[in-house]
Amino acid sequence: MRYVSGFLILALLHSASAVTHYSISEEMDIGSVVANLAADLNLDVKTLSRRKMRLDNIANKKYLDINKETGELFILERLDREYLCTTKSVTACVLKLDATIENPIRIFNIEVEILDINDNAPHFRRDTIHLDISESTPVGERFSLNNAVDPDIGLNSIKTYYLSESEHFNIEIQTGRDGSKFTDLILKKALDREEQNNHNLILTAVDGGVPARSGTASIIVQVLDTNDNAPQFDKESYKIELPENPPIGSLVVKLNSTDLDEGSNAEITYLYSLYTSEKTQQTFTLNPNNGEIRVKDMINYEDFKMYDMEIIAKDKGIHSLSGQCKLTILITDMNDNHPEISVKSFQSTIKENVPLDTVIAVVSVSDKDSGENGVVDIKINKNLPFSLRESSDNYYELVVSKPLDREMVPEYDITFTVTDRGTPQLSDNETITLELLDVNDNVPRFNQTFFKIPVLENNAPGALLASLTALDPDLHENQYLVYFIIEKDIANTSMSMLFSINPENGNLYALKTFDYEIEKEFLFHIEARDSGVPPLSSNVTVHIIIMDQNDNNPVIVSPWRAHGTVVEEKIPRNTDKGSLVAKVIAIDTDSVHNSRISYQFLVNTDTTLFSLDQYNGEIRTMRMFSYRDARYQRLIVIAKDNGEPALSATVTIKLSTVETALKSYSDMTEVPLEYDIFSDLNLYLVIGLGSVSFLLLITILVTIVLKCQKPKPSKAAPPSRNSVISSERNSTFADSTLVSNDAYWYSMFLAETRKGKMVVRQPVPKGARYVVSSLPRGTGLTDTSDSAASTLQVRESLDIAC
């Protein structure tokens, strides 16, 4: 156990007035032994517990206690002299205690003196000391500072003060009656706020302990201003360039002046001096608070090119000070005037055929600006048949540079654009409208060069055939058209008698009813003529094609019979299978399509005995006759055309079988027959219709011949072979064998010609002189035998004519 040395005063008195005194240092560790109290009080250590030895509390707090095992007095709680003895004037800090024991009861007075140690550093009540000192304060002026405090006493208290280095201040230390130290701040050099507006100092207090302790405080000296500086501008004179026409209120310049003072001494007001003209003050505004100069009125370079002004800056001190500067504003020219264009002369309408270089308009250009800003360029919109030609300074002529055509462009909007050479460029434009007057320079034009107009035959007179209209791009009377037919005679008939055209709208009408079998086409010209001066015209070819209708019935020309009579034929009963019994031939004067003939049985008494070829009309046996077959057979053949609806004709053939054979003819003769081919189809139809006109007369003659003719018995002859070539269908019929006594007289067939000739193959009876020669158009047979014309000759004439 650690013991603390001290002196002990023992009063070996038997009275309770004896006091035991101890001295210890403050801040000793808890548990430290002060002294052996039992030994000092002559008490038996072994009886301390039994006699209940104890110490009284100090201010309800126990700092010391007794170890009842050893009798030692030890520290129970940390001892702080400055806390226990707050009065610094008391030289000694003593704790008074009473130690009590029982059996018998005894009380011992104990004093413990707390010795001071340097455990506290000096400190200032405020860490920062603020001082406001005017810059006009004289040298040697004193300023009191707050003292530092140190709770320690004696040598451990404050000993001295120190001040940080300063050329303007120092300190003076003084000692009070109680021995305390305090100091004053002394100004040793004049202050200048504009040079340094504050001073930061450090004041240090040091005690006398070992080791010494110290404390510091900051001294902030704020230098107060006095109005000892006049406002000053950045420059004595300013020169500003300002473009003309700036916006109202735009900033020209912001003047800046400074005053080294502060507060009201540094607050500056700006104003014009008396040397600034009234015009300048009307043009520009001066902000008195911040020195901004702004545009107040319109500025035009052409009016004023320069403005001079003098500006004063004045502070707000009690005795105000001021400064001034000169400002020159130079106005620079801007490209602020648009170029102008003026039309001096203009023809708003001209003819489309005016010659090139014709002057249409004269214009002038101008610009109020100068230099490059006043140089003007002029142009017109592109792709126009016009050009500009300079005639004199700033005068230009608009002339025709390309041929004009009203039908392509009837009107021109010509825009003149003028542009100066300033930056940025300014421009203007002027538009004039030029109208072209029409001249008769376009011929009427049909939309086709050739009109092919189909007309169905049997049309009604006055029927509208077509509308033949032409167009003329000219205007007014130059586009009014008149239509008429160019006269042309066909077969001594004028076109005006066949057709009519409306002169105003070109509608073409038929004046008569056309018949395809007579007239198949017409070719003529229509002319359209305008009303200009001189008039222009054009014509178009019109081809009228008459379209066929199925309006003609087929006509049966073989076998020939009078109207309403029955054809009677005889045939041997021993006729072979496939033998030609009869041949029905029909013709149709309609067109090829409508005249295509097909043959059918209407009545056939025995369908197993006879067959009919639907294309060539040949009736042949399908088998040999038997004894069971009836002697008389009745056949009705119908010939239909290919029209819609189909037309037809019928013939009734009565066949009778005979036992005797026909007279045979030993040889067959091939006779060439030449005739001219009717290349002109129309003429062919006319001849056919003419032949039909004599049908009644021919019918009477044929009837007389048939009544007078009697059949003659003849020997059986071998079947004859006939070969026929059809002219209508471009096909060749097979050879036929005639078994009837009359059939070979009538089997005359038309064949397709080669080089205008036709071959007819037929049997020639022995001893008969029968000559067939070439047939001219529209005629029948020219040469015959000595005998009277037979039925064959008449039928041949009809066949060829039709």
Side-chain angles (χ1 to χ4, degrees), residues 522-560:
F522 299 94
L523 195 66
F524 56 93
H525 298 283
I526 299 294
E527 180 175 310
R529 181 182 301 167
D530 62 28
S531 302
V533 178
L536 302 177
S537 63
S538 65
N539 59 66
V540 65
T541 301
V542 179
H543 185 196
I544 304 293
I545 299 175
I546 308 301
M547 305 297 292
D548 182 46
Q549 282 186 320
N550 193 25
D551 58 346
N552 291 283
N553 291 338
V555 176
I556 296 177
V557 297
S558 177
W560 185 257

Side-chain angles (χ1 to χ4, degrees), residues 44-277:
D44 186 1
V45 174
K46 296 179 180 180
T47 63
L48 295 179
S49 297
R50 181 173 54 80
R51 297 184 68 180
K52 300 179 181 179
M53 187 174 186
R54 60 184 181 277
L55 288 175
D56 296 336
N57 292 335
I58 300 173
N60 296 324
K61 191 170 184 181
K62 198 170 185 178
Y63 290 95
L64 299 171
D65 201 1
I66 297 173
N67 188 335
K68 297 177 180 179
E69 299 294 331
T70 62
E72 294 176 336
L73 180 66
F74 65 91
I75 298 174
L76 186 64
E77 188 74 25
R78 186 181 68 85
L79 297 173
D80 186 356
R81 193 195 72 82
E82 289 77 25
Y83 176 76
L84 295 175
C85 302
T86 58
T87 304
K88 192 173 183 181
S89 61
V90 178
T91 58
C93 181
V94 179
L95 296 179
K96 293 182 178 183
L97 305 172
D98 291 332
T100 304
I101 60 173
E102 297 179 357
N103 299 318
I105 297 175
R106 292 186 65 183
I107 298 174
F108 302 96
N109 296 324
I110 300 172
E111 291 182 353
V112 180
E113 181 181 1
I114 308 300
L115 302 178
D116 181 46
I117 64 173
N118 193 20
D119 59 341
N120 291 284
H123 68 278
F124 293 90
R125 291 184 176 89
R126 290 187 296 176
D127 293 336
T128 303
I129 302 172
H130 292 276
L131 295 176
D132 292 333
I133 303 174
S134 174
E135 63 178 329
S136 60
T137 302
V139 176
E141 188 75 22
R142 289 174 175 269
F143 303 96
S144 297
L145 300 176
N146 294 328
N147 295 336
V149 295
D150 192 336
D152 294 328
I153 60 174
L155 294 176
N156 294 330
S157 64
I158 295 173
K159 180 181 180 180
T160 187
Y161 291 91
Y162 297 99
L163 183 65
S164 61
E165 185 178 355
S166 173
E167 63 174 328
H168 292 279
F169 298 96
N170 60 13
I171 58 174
E172 186 178 295
I173 302 173
Q174 297 184 23
T175 303
R177 294 178 181 179
D178 56 355
S180 61
K181 304 290 186 180
F182 61 90
T183 183
D184 290 334
L185 184 67
I186 300 174
L187 180 64
K188 67 178 182 178
K189 184 180 179 181
L191 299 175
D192 187 353
R193 194 205 64 79
E194 288 73 31
E195 181 181 345
Q196 186 175 357
N197 60 356
N198 61 68
H199 299 266
N200 293 322
L201 306 175
I202 301 297
L203 180 62
T204 304
V206 182
D207 61 21
V210 180
R213 291 179 177 269
S214 63
T216 61
S218 291
I219 301 175
I220 298 177
V221 178
Q222 187 72 32
V223 182
L224 300 180
D225 182 53
T226 59
N227 192 21
D228 57 346
N229 292 282
Q232 290 185 347
F233 286 94
D234 295 342
K235 294 189 294 184
E236 292 184 358
S237 63
Y238 295 86
K239 185 174 288 187
I240 303 297
E241 289 188 355
L242 179 66
E244 64 173 330
N245 300 318
I248 301 298
S250 60
L251 179 65
V252 178
V253 66
K254 182 178 182 180
L255 299 176
N256 182 48
S257 66
T258 57
D259 192 323
L260 299 179
D261 296 325
E262 65 176 2
S264 61
N265 297 328
E267 293 181 6
I268 299 174
T269 300
Y270 299 89
L271 65 157
Y272 289 116
S273 72
L274 298 176
Y275 297 102
T276 303
S277 66

Side-chain angles (χ1 to χ4, degrees), residues 680-746:
D680 191 341
L681 183 60
N682 292 335
L683 183 59
Y684 179 77
L685 292 176
V686 171
I687 295 174
L689 292 175
S691 300
V692 173
S693 302
F694 296 98
L695 181 61
L696 180 61
L697 179 60
I698 294 174
T699 302
I700 297 174
L701 294 176
V702 171
T703 302
I704 296 173
V705 172
L706 291 176
K707 292 298 183 179
C708 295
Q709 183 180 2
K710 294 180 179 180
K712 297 179 180 180
S714 58
K715 296 180 180 181
S720 299
R721 307 292 296 176
N722 293 340
S723 179
V724 182
I725 301 175
S726 173
S727 62
E728 287 293 322
R729 297 176 179 83
N730 296 328
S731 62
T732 304
F733 293 104
D735 291 345
S736 303
T737 301
L738 300 179
V739 295
S740 170
N741 58 341
D742 291 334
Y744 67 92
W745 293 109
Y746 310 138

Side-chain angles (χ1 to χ4, degrees), residues 484-594:
F484 54 91
I485 299 175
I486 298 178
E487 287 297 336
K488 178 182 178 182
D489 292 342
I490 297 180
N492 296 323
T493 301
S494 173
M495 284 294 103
S496 299
M497 299 179 64
L498 301 177
F499 303 98
S500 173
I501 190 168
N502 189 317
E504 295 182 357
N505 56 27
N507 288 344
L508 182 65
Y509 300 92
L511 297 181
K512 61 168 288 187
T513 300
F514 298 105
D515 189 345
Y516 171 81
E517 287 73 28
I518 298 177
E519 302 146 327
K520 292 183 172 55
E521 63 180 2
F522 299 94
L523 195 66
F524 56 93
H525 298 283
I526 299 294
E527 180 175 310
R529 181 182 301 167
D530 62 28
S531 302
V533 178
L536 302 177
S537 63
S538 65
N539 59 66
V540 65
T541 301
V542 179
H543 185 196
I544 304 293
I545 299 175
I546 308 301
M547 305 297 292
D548 182 46
Q549 282 186 320
N550 193 25
D551 58 346
N552 291 283
N553 291 338
V555 176
I556 296 177
V557 297
S558 177
W560 185 257
R561 86 274 187 234
H563 181 69
T565 61
V566 177
V567 177
E568 294 183 357
E569 298 286 351
K570 292 182 180 181
I571 181 172
R573 291 189 66 86
N574 61 353
T575 299
D576 294 332
K577 175 184 178 181
S579 297
L580 179 66
V581 176
K583 183 177 181 69
V584 179
I585 300 175
I587 63 173
D588 193 322
T589 57
D590 289 322
S591 63
V592 174
H593 178 76
N594 292 328

Side-chain angles (χ1 to χ4, degrees), residues 318-338:
I318 298 176
H319 302 287
S320 62
L321 301 176
S322 65
Q324 60 274 340
C325 73
K326 291 184 178 181
L327 176 63
T328 300
I329 299 177
L330 300 176
I331 306 303
T332 59
D333 185 31
M334 295 293 293
N335 190 25
D336 58 337
N337 292 291
H338 287 263

Side-chain angles (χ1 to χ4, degrees), residues 626-638:
S626 67
Y627 68 93
R628 295 180 180 179
D629 293 327
R631 181 179 179 182
Y632 297 100
Q633 301 289 335
R634 184 171 177 265
L635 304 177
I636 299 178
V637 178
I638 181 172

